[in-house]
Amino acid sequence: MKKRPLVILDDYFVKDGQLSELLESSNGIDIAWASKGDYFEIPSDNPFIKRLLSTHTTLRRWTRTSAIQVTYSTWLYNIHLAIIAAVGARLLSGLTAAPLIYSLGTLVTICLCVVLSYHTLFFVSLNYRPAWFEHTVVYFSPFAWAAIWLLVCIGDRETSTVAVVDMDGPFRGLLDRRVGPLALLLMHIFVWYMRRTVIGITVFERKVRASAFENWSHRMYSVLAALAIVFVWRIYPYLATFWDGHVSDMERKPPRELADERSQIGVLRLIAAMLASGGTHAIWYSFISYAYHMVVWKEYLREGLAVWVVDDSVMCTKLH
């Protein structure tokens, strides 16, 4: 997102777009850029303040709040790495439970792949590739919520494969039952809660640029994400028949017969997963950013300022 000028006038702020007018009205007063960030910081005893207050009625008094860290602290960095490792071990445990052509097509495996890829991308983007973060939060998050709520509502013992052959593997049982659906949900909520500020700011910047139609479309997109995951699970037998070298393993059965042998998902459970996952993300999308008024970055997702407006109160927070 492009930098936008923000003027800090001690206990006041001026919206972006008025910078040129302020500079013209300074009448030669030397106002230097602040050492950090693209904003002015002017002491209250400066004569420019008095003249400005007499000519500009858009100024509003604000309160400076404590700085908020939007990047990872050391302990959170390590905890998120541990979460990624735990989900990865759980996925490997499931993949080694049967020949890959079978284990890869279970609903549990598909959901775990979505959750693992989401947390990996979230971690990498926020720490090393900030430009990816908005797309991760806005477009990928609904699928992560959907995958977790599908496991919660349907269970993680669903064997959605055909002719499963029981196999022992080095990872099977290691974390297979210790990282269940509830644990996945709690870990996901933990990461979102700890990074709620940067997620809220990212959503705010997205909503500012998007139209009303795009915002409502995104809410519907969040609700339908679970259906997309189930669709991939349902068509997997058709795709697996083209798996080179494994036609004999699939007993040369027609794809429709292979699909019919898989466990079915109850309609009510699927609807519950859609409402829980889509509703959760839609609520976050709608309300997590409601109080933000303006965000200006010196360096995107590294250092900047956020302005909050709640009723008649205005607050400025430094982000780092």
Side-chain angles (χ1 to χ4, degrees):
M1 192 174 184
K2 294 182 178 180
K3 298 177 181 178
R4 295 182 300 175
L6 175 66
V7 183
I8 308 296
L9 305 174
D10 197 27
D11 293 328
Y12 298 86
F13 79 92
V14 181
K15 295 181 180 180
D16 57 314
Q18 294 181 321
L19 180 59
S20 58
E21 183 179 358
L22 292 172
L23 290 174
E24 291 175 0
S25 60
S26 62
N27 294 327
I29 297 178
D30 185 18
I31 306 175
W33 288 102
S35 58
K36 293 183 178 181
D38 292 335
Y39 60 92
F40 285 126
E41 182 130 11
I42 307 174
S44 57
D45 58 352
N46 194 301
F48 175 65
I49 291 288
K50 296 180 180 179
R51 289 204 299 271
L52 192 66
L53 292 178
S54 64
T55 57
H56 292 76
T57 59
T58 58
L59 296 176
R60 299 178 64 183
R61 185 176 295 275
W62 69 4
T63 303
R64 292 175 185 258
T65 63
S66 301
I68 296 178
Q69 183 172 357
V70 295
T71 56
Y72 275 69
S73 59
T74 302
W75 72 273
L76 185 59
Y77 185 97
N78 293 328
I79 288 178
H80 204 174
L81 273 181
I83 290 174
I84 293 172
V87 177
R90 174 70 170 85
L91 175 60
L92 288 174
S93 174
L95 290 175
T96 57
L100 190 60
I101 191 173
Y102 303 131
S103 61
L104 191 61
T106 66
L107 183 62
V108 175
T109 298
I110 294 173
C111 290
L112 287 174
C113 285
V114 172
V115 175
L116 178 61
S117 58
Y118 170 77
H119 278 281
T120 302
L121 187 57
F122 188 101
F123 179 86
V124 171
S125 61
L126 189 53
N127 285 289
Y128 306 108
R129 293 290 186 271
W132 300 354
F133 190 71
E134 180 177 313
H135 286 79
T136 301
V137 170
V138 175
Y139 298 110
F140 201 177
S141 288
F143 289 95
W145 283 105
I148 291 174
W149 277 106
L150 279 171
L151 293 178
V152 171
C153 295
I154 297 171
D156 64 346
R157 298 183 65 86
E158 189 272 335
T159 55
S160 52
T161 59
V162 294
V164 174
V165 179
D166 192 16
M167 297 179 61
D168 291 327
F171 296 98
R172 193 180 183 195
L174 179 63
L175 290 172
D176 196 16
R177 290 292 168 251
R178 298 180 187 179
V179 185
L182 182 59
L184 287 172
L185 178 61
L186 292 177
M187 289 188 295
H188 193 71
I189 292 175
F190 171 79
V191 172
W192 267 63
Y193 178 78
M194 296 304 298
R195 298 295 86 193
R196 62 191 183 278
T197 298
V198 67
I199 292 174
I201 289 173
T202 301
V203 170
F204 164 75
E205 292 184 311
R206 152 74 184 180
K207 290 169 68 176
V208 167
R209 298 194 307 271
S211 64
F213 174 78
E214 290 173 327
N215 286 326
W216 280 107
S217 297
H218 180 76
R219 295 181 178 95
M220 185 60 65
Y221 166 85
S222 300
V223 174
L224 297 178
L227 276 182
I229 295 176
V230 172
F231 176 75
V232 172
W233 168 73
R234 288 296 297 172
I235 67 171
Y236 179 81
Y238 298 86
L239 301 176
T241 57
F242 300 100
W243 193 311
D244 186 30
H246 290 281
V247 176
S248 59
D249 290 342
M250 303 296 288
E251 301 178 2
R252 299 184 181 275
K253 294 181 179 180
R256 181 176 297 278
E257 185 177 344
L258 297 178
D260 291 341
E261 291 182 3
R262 296 150 66 91
S263 303
Q264 300 300 310
I265 297 177
V267 175
L268 292 180
R269 293 192 177 191
L270 177 58
I271 293 176
M274 292 174 60
L275 293 178
S277 61
T280 301
H281 195 266
I283 289 173
W284 275 96
Y285 186 82
S286 299
F287 298 107
I288 193 173
S289 61
Y290 78 96
Y292 289 104
H293 180 73
M294 183 189 305
V295 178
V296 59
W297 295 103
K298 177 183 179 183
E299 182 181 359
Y300 183 59
L301 295 186
R302 293 296 180 265
E303 183 179 357
L305 293 171
V307 176
W308 312 57
V309 179
V310 180
D311 296 329
D312 292 331
S313 301
V314 182
M315 293 165 284
C316 176
T317 301
K318 180 181 179 181
L319 309 172
H320 65 92

